[in-house]
Amino acid sequence: MSDHYVKVSIQLEEMKSFGEDAEKEGVDTEEQVPVCSPSASVSPPDPSSTTIAGRDASNTSITCKHRGKSRSKLGKDDKNSCGKHTSDVSLHGSVVSAHVGRNLNRLTHDRTLHVKGTGKILQGKSETNGNNVTVHPSKNIQETRREDGFKHARKGRPVTVDISKAKTSLEALKLSIKQLKWKEFPLGRRAACDIYWHGVSFHDNDNIVSGQVNKFPGMIEMLRKINLSRAVRTMQELFPEEYDFYPRSWILPEECQQFSTQIRMVKENDATINPTFIVKPDGGSQGDGIYLIRDPSDLKLMVGTQAKQAVVQEYIQRPLLIDKLKFDIRLYVLLKSLEPLEIYIAKEGLTRFCTEPYQEPSQKNLSHVFMHLTNYSLNVHSGNFVHSDSQSTGSKRTLSSVLYRLAAKGVDIKKVWSDIIALVIKTAIAVVPELRVYYQCDIPPGKPGPTCFQILGFDILLTKNLKPVLLEVNSNPSMRIEHEQEVAPGVFEYVPSPVDEEVKVGVIRDTLRLMDPGHKKPSISQHGEEIPMEAETQERSPDEGALPSLCLKQVYPKYTKQFNYLRLVERIASLFIRFLGVKGNMRMGPTAFRTFIRTCKLSNSNFSMASVDILYIDITRRWSGTMPDSREAGMGLQAFVEAFFYLAGRRFKSLVLREQVVSLLQLCEAQLESQSGVEERRSVSCSRAMPRAVRTLGLTNPQLNSPAPLRRASSQDYRLHQRLKPRTLRANVEN
Ligand code: ADP
C-alpha cells in the first residue's frame, strides 16, 4: 500500500470517527443542513460516517432565491448552489442545523429500537403516509422469496456460484470467490446454485427458479439514455430543485422541433449565451456515435426508418479539471433490493481522465474527442494515455486519490461526497418504479423465481464549482481487471491493471458477501423498512474473519427519512401494478384503466367514463409511437403516470403539481384501503370455497387483494402451482 493511500485511509478514518463521535454525543448528524443547498447534503467521503441532511418530509432545507430559476437558462454550470460564480475549487460548504418546512404527505414520530445481536440502540423516525396507507406492504414478494432463500441457507457447505455466464467479469469474480472460499461452477450446475453471475442481463440464463441473480429484469432497457432521461424528467416535473443534477435533455427525433425552438428563444433573449450540446445515441456506449454541436441545425438527423433514437443534452462546459484535464467519476452502486429499496455505494471508485488538455468548447475543438470525452475506451487509443501502477497518477486513478488531492487544495470533500450520495439515491428513486413493473412481469408473484441484485456504474462529472452531474448509469459497468495496452504499433494486448483490480474485486467480493444466503437477515421495522445496521456490525460468517471490512456502505434505507418523500412515482407504480391485470403484463388495457378509475372513484358528472376512454386512447396512442421496443399494446407506466398527473391536475386545480399528485395518491390509496377491508370481509365469508393457500396469500400480498388476481388465484393453474411448491422441491433435491 503506498504512502499516499495510507494518508487517504487515515483521512477517511478520521472522518469516520468524526461521525461516530457525533453519534456518541447524541448529536443527530442527519439533521444538519448546509446553507443554500436545497437538496440533500452530507459530510464525509466515507458513507459509513456520512451524515446526509436531505429533506425530510417535515423539513425543507434553506433554498437560495436564484435556485428556482436554475433550469430556465442553459450553460449555468459555472454557478454554485447559491448562484455565485466560483473561480477555483477551494469552496467550503458551511453546515448549519435547521428544521424548516412543512409536512406534505406523512407524519413522522420518533422511535427507539434495539437491534438484535448488535447490542445497539438505533434511533430513527418511522413513517406513515398522511392517511396511514403504507405503500410498501410489511412483507412483500421479494422479501418472501429471500426468506425462502434463508431457510435453505447452507449448513456448513460453501456458497455456490454459477459463473458460466460471467463473461468479462470472470477474472474479478473468480478472485472474489477465492477470497471468500466459496465454490464456483464455471460450466454451470445441474442442481441450483445459490448465486448466478450474469455478464449481460437477467435473461442470460432463463431457467433460474431459485437463488439470486446479479441482474434485474428490465435494467438494460430502463437505463438506456432515453428511458433514464424520461424517468429523471418525470421527477424534475415533481421536484425540479432536487433533480437539477441531470443536464437538460431532449429526446430525438420526437423532440427535435421543441429543442430547436427552445434554443432559438434562449439565444434571442440573451445573445451572450452560446451553449454547446452533446448528442448521444440511445443504445450507445463507450462514446460511440457521440458528437458535440453548437446549433440545432447541426443535428445529424436521419429520416424515416433511419431516424436514430438519441438524446441531445446540455453540455457541461466548465468541468472541474485536474492537471488541466477533464475527468469523470465511475462510482459502483449496489442495488440490493427493490422492495424494500436497499442501496449500497462503494467507498472506492475510479476516475477516468481525458488525454488532451481541456478547453471550453469552440467551433474549432468540438471534434477533439480526447479533450471532451472521458471514456477509457477512446482515450486508451490516444498517444498520451498513461498506464500507471500507482493509484494517484495516470489516466485512470482511484476516486480516493482524487478526493485526497482536492482535499489538499481545500475542497470540502465531505460536501462533494454527500452530494454524490444524494444524486445516487435520487436517481435510484427515479428508475425504481419502472423496474418494479419489469420485475413483476418477469417474476410474477406466485411463480417460482430468483431474487435479484445488481451492481450499477454511475458516471458522474464534477463541475468547476464542484456540483456532481449525472452523465449516465451503466447497467453493465465493465468489471475487467486487465487493460488494453499497445505492445507493438497497432497490436493491443490485455495486461493486468492494479487500479482496476483494487477497486473492482472489492466491489464484487463485498457484493457477494452482502448477498450471502447465510448472511444474517437485517431487522425489519414495524413499518416495513429495514433498520439500517452498519455493515461491519452485521454478523460475519466464520470464513469472513480474514476479510477486510466491507467497501460497500448502505445509504438506503439508512437515509430513508431524508429521501422518502421523493417516492411518489413509486406509489403511482404500485397502483399501476395492482390494476395491470393478467400476470406477465407490462401494459394496462382499457378495461383495467376503467377499473382503476371506477375503483378509485375518479369519474363523476364532470368526467364521464367516455372521457376516461378518450384520455386512455389519447395518451396511449401518443406513447406507443415513442416506444419502439414495446412488448405489447396498451398503456405503459410512463403513460399511466402522465394520465395520473392529468387526473390530479383536474381534481386539485389550485395546488402545484407535486401537491396535486400527493392528494390524488392519498385519495386512491384510501379508496383501495377501504375496499380491501370489504374484500377481506367478503373473502372471510366465502373462505370455505377458496383454497387455503390463496386465502393466506390474499392477506399478505396486496396485489392479490385486487379482484382480478383473486379470480386468477382461484384458477386451476394457480392451485396446481401452490400444490407443487417447486421451490421447496428443488431445494430438497439440492440438499
Ligand atoms: P457513453 O455511454 O457512450 O459512454 P456517456 O453519456 O457516458 O456515453 O458520455 C460519454 C462521455 O461524454 C462522458 O464520459 C463524458 O466525458 C462526456 N459527456 C457526456 N455527457 C456530457 C455532458 N452533458 N456534459 C459534458 N460532458 C459529457
Side-chain angles (χ1 to χ4, degrees):
M1 199 187 269
S2 68
D3 279 351
H4 155 77
Y5 203 69
V6 171
K7 275 188 217 153
V8 174
S9 308
I10 291 169
Q11 200 191 23
L12 296 181
E13 278 312 310
E14 277 169 8
M15 286 164 173
K16 193 174 161 188
S17 59
F18 160 81
E20 280 163 3
D21 288 346
E23 227 172 78
K24 270 184 223 148
E25 284 162 29
V27 179
D28 185 357
T29 47
E30 296 188 354
E31 293 298 325
Q32 294 178 342
V33 179
V35 174
C36 290
S37 175
S39 53
S41 177
V42 213
S43 317
D46 176 354
S48 65
S49 60
T50 295
T51 52
I52 296 233
R55 208 182 63 180
D56 196 328
S58 59
N59 291 349
T60 307
S61 47
I62 302 163
T63 316
C64 301
K65 282 186 186 149
H66 305 67
R67 193 65 182 222
K69 292 180 186 162
S70 66
R71 297 199 63 78
S72 62
K73 278 189 181 178
L74 295 157
K76 284 196 159 187
D77 59 283
D78 53 339
K79 291 188 177 180
N80 67 19
S81 55
C82 295
K84 286 183 184 144
H85 286 267
T86 49
S87 54
D88 64 32
V89 293
S90 50
L91 187 115
H92 298 263
S94 53
V95 177
V96 294
S97 292
H99 290 266
V100 280
R102 69 198 176 85
N103 193 338
L104 270 181
N105 68 335
R106 62 166 207 235
L107 304 168
T108 60
H109 54 89
D110 288 315
R111 66 159 190 256
T112 304
L113 276 157
H114 293 261
V115 178
K116 222 175 153 190
T118 64
K120 251 192 170 180
I121 296 174
L122 293 174
Q123 288 186 320
K125 305 214 172 179
S126 60
E127 293 134 45
T128 55
N129 296 318
N131 57 2
N132 279 334
V133 176
T134 29
V135 186
H136 305 289
S138 59
K139 209 182 238 181
N140 53 50
I141 306 142
Q142 210 173 331
E143 271 172 18
T144 315
R145 285 186 202 279
R146 202 182 290 173
E147 272 178 13
D148 281 354
F150 289 126
K151 273 185 218 149
H152 304 303
R154 64 201 168 119
K155 291 196 184 82
R157 65 165 177 83
V159 179
T160 52
V161 188
D162 181 331
I163 62 169
S164 60
K165 308 279 182 200
K167 301 219 159 101
T168 53
S169 324
L170 195 62
E171 290 310 311
L173 181 62
K174 281 163 97 62
L175 281 176
S176 306
I177 293 172
K178 197 169 166 199
Q179 289 182 15
L180 293 168
K181 301 195 179 91
W182 289 7
K183 196 163 165 47
E184 62 182 41
F185 287 86
L187 302 174
R189 187 191 191 200
R190 202 124 58 97
C193 276
D194 296 310
I195 293 176
Y196 296 82
W197 200 273
H198 289 180
V200 182
S201 96
F202 175 77
H203 294 288
D204 284 357
N205 181 348
D206 266 331
N207 305 317
I208 304 166
V209 287
S210 65
Q212 306 180 77
V213 179
N214 72 320
K215 296 282 188 281
F216 279 96
M219 189 66 91
I220 295 178
E221 292 82 348
M222 198 51 229
L223 295 182
R224 286 168 79 109
K225 293 177 175 66
I226 289 183
N227 264 343
L228 177 67
S229 301
R230 281 211 172 102
V232 175
R233 188 188 287 180
T234 302
M235 296 306 291
Q236 285 173 335
E237 282 176 49
L238 290 168
F239 304 99
E241 288 167 0
E242 286 85 342
Y243 280 83
D244 67 351
F245 58 81
Y246 191 67
R248 191 195 264 216
S249 306
W250 294 261
I251 288 149
L252 300 178
E254 60 184 273
E255 291 172 1
C256 182
Q257 195 55 46
Q258 211 176 321
F259 168 61
S260 303
T261 314
Q262 285 178 5
I263 302 314
R264 199 166 306 123
M265 273 165 56
V266 168
K267 286 184 174 179
E268 276 168 15
N269 281 346
D270 186 346
T272 62
I273 292 179
N274 200 2
T276 303
F277 302 93
I278 183 164
V279 186
K280 315 188 207 178
D282 184 33
S285 64
Q286 306 191 331
D288 275 354
I290 289 184
Y291 60 97
L292 302 187
I293 57 167
R294 306 208 88 192
D295 194 89
S297 61
D298 295 332
L299 278 176
K300 297 174 196 162
L301 281 179
M302 314 274 192
V303 280
T305 48
Q306 296 247 289
K308 289 240 168 70
Q309 296 260 314
V311 164
V312 55
Q313 192 172 74
E314 183 184 347
Y315 185 74
I316 307 300
Q317 309 214 43
R318 292 178 193 163
L320 181 68
L321 306 181
I322 289 186
D323 300 334
K324 300 200 171 100
L325 299 170
K326 176 176 172 178
F327 68 96
D328 77 349
I329 298 168
R330 160 57 58 85
L331 195 71
Y332 297 96
V333 171
L334 169 65
L335 185 56
K336 186 169 178 262
S337 148
L338 287 183
E339 273 188 273
L341 182 57
E342 282 185 81
I343 308 166
Y344 287 73
I345 294 185
K347 282 192 281 181
E348 186 60 289
L350 293 170
T351 50
R352 288 92 48 102
F353 282 71
C354 278
T355 43
E356 185 182 332
Y358 186 78
Q359 286 167 12
E360 280 194 33
S362 67
Q363 208 56 48
K364 267 198 220 148
N365 69 29
L366 279 191
S367 59
H368 292 210
V369 285
F370 300 143
M371 175 189 286
H372 292 293
L373 306 187
T374 49
N375 298 80
Y376 160 79
S377 50
L378 297 173
N379 283 281
V380 75
H381 298 293
S382 135
N384 296 335
F385 193 94
V386 181
H387 291 285
S388 169
D389 286 350
S390 154
Q391 299 178 333
S392 54
T393 57
S395 299
K396 201 188 256 189
R397 309 179 193 176
T398 55
L399 174 58
S400 60
S401 77
V402 165
L403 288 177
Y404 179 70
R405 177 113 178 241
L406 295 177
K409 282 189 180 179
V411 168
D412 182 356
I413 57 169
K414 291 180 188 176
K415 162 110 176 62
V416 172
W417 186 242
S418 78
D419 288 346
I420 288 177
I421 292 178
L423 175 154
V424 167
I425 296 174
K426 289 173 185 176
T427 306
I429 286 175
V431 300
V432 157
E434 192 132 14
L435 283 176
R436 283 184 52 198
V437 177
Y438 276 102
Y439 195 91
Q440 67 78 39
C441 173
D442 274 301
I443 317 173
K447 188 183 157 195
T451 53
C452 304
F453 62 94
Q454 188 153 356
I455 298 170
L456 304 171
F458 276 64
D459 290 351
I460 295 166
L461 191 73
L462 292 179
T463 65
K464 192 174 180 181
N465 67 349
L466 299 163
K467 182 177 165 55
V469 171
L470 177 69
L471 300 178
E472 72 159 341
V473 187
N474 284 277
S475 54
N476 282 314
S478 163
M479 284 294 166
R480 266 191 196 283
I481 51 174
E482 320 90 26
H483 59 68
E484 268 179 67
Q485 199 157 20
E486 195 166 13
V487 285
V491 183
F492 288 86
E493 242 179 35
Y494 281 107
V495 296
S497 163
V499 178
D500 285 284
E501 184 172 328
E502 163 82 20
V503 175
K504 295 174 184 175
V505 172
V507 171
I508 293 185
R509 181 196 61 224
D510 290 351
T511 295
L512 290 173
R513 282 162 84 185
L514 285 169
M515 303 317 299
D516 178 349
H519 207 274
K520 184 172 175 266
K521 175 132 177 61
S523 313
I524 304 284
S525 81
Q526 72 217 59
H527 297 284
E529 291 286 5
E530 288 193 3
I531 309 302
M533 287 188 287
E534 285 303 326
E536 283 89 348
T537 64
Q538 291 181 23
E539 232 170 55
R540 287 181 181 198
S541 66
D543 306 346
E544 287 201 9
L547 294 170
S549 63
L550 286 170
C551 73
L552 292 164
K553 292 292 178 182
Q554 191 194 69
V555 293
Y556 207 91
K558 184 169 183 179
Y559 299 119
T560 299
K561 70 178 175 186
Q562 288 91 336
F563 296 98
N564 218 30
Y565 73 101
L566 297 172
R567 297 173 71 180
L568 295 184
V569 181
E570 221 178 315
R571 286 164 68 187
I572 301 176
S574 293
L575 293 174
F576 179 75
I577 291 170
R578 185 172 181 139
F579 287 96
L580 254 187
V582 187
K583 276 182 192 172
N585 258 6
M586 292 277 297
R587 286 164 191 266
M588 187 182 268
T591 313
F593 188 67
R594 282 173 140 251
T595 310
F596 155 67
I597 298 281
R598 275 213 195 93
T599 315
C600 295
K601 299 204 181 349
L602 300 182
S603 68
N604 52 35
S605 53
N606 288 331
F607 190 56
S608 65
M609 286 314 280
S611 314
V612 169
D613 290 340
I614 292 169
L615 176 69
Y616 177 88
I617 293 167
D618 181 36
I619 292 186
T620 306
R621 192 176 288 160
R622 208 149 25 75
W623 275 91
S624 65
T626 64
M627 311 288 278
D629 55 350
S630 59
R631 295 194 198 183
E632 70 229 31
M635 181 182 255
L637 176 65
Q638 290 174 351
F640 183 77
V641 169
E642 188 184 320
F644 197 88
F645 284 10
Y646 171 81
L647 293 167
R650 263 189 80 97
R651 190 126 191 161
F652 303 99
K653 288 197 177 71
S654 59
L655 304 177
V656 297
L657 178 67
R658 183 191 320 182
E659 289 167 0
Q660 289 172 342
V661 169
V662 170
S663 305
L664 191 66
L665 274 168
Q666 287 174 344
L667 198 144
C668 294
E669 288 164 353
Q671 284 297 340
L672 294 172
E673 181 84 339
S674 66
Q675 285 176 28
S676 61
V678 174
E679 287 289 340
E680 243 168 62
R681 281 196 295 279
R682 244 188 247 153
S683 81
V684 169
S685 65
C686 60
S687 58
R688 256 167 289 155
M690 227 181 257
R692 213 175 130 227
V694 175
R695 263 184 279 143
T696 323
L697 272 165
L699 291 173
T700 53
N701 183 349
Q703 255 193 309
L704 294 177
N705 279 339
S706 67
L710 270 178
R711 273 200 306 278
R712 259 199 330 274
S714 59
S715 76
Q716 227 186 353
D717 268 349
Y718 193 85
R719 286 203 300 270
L720 196 67
H721 223 55
Q722 290 298 316
R723 257 185 272 134
L724 285 174
K725 288 207 176 122
R727 216 179 300 131
T728 323
L729 280 180
R730 209 170 325 272
N732 289 342
V733 170
E734 192 191 328
N735 289 332

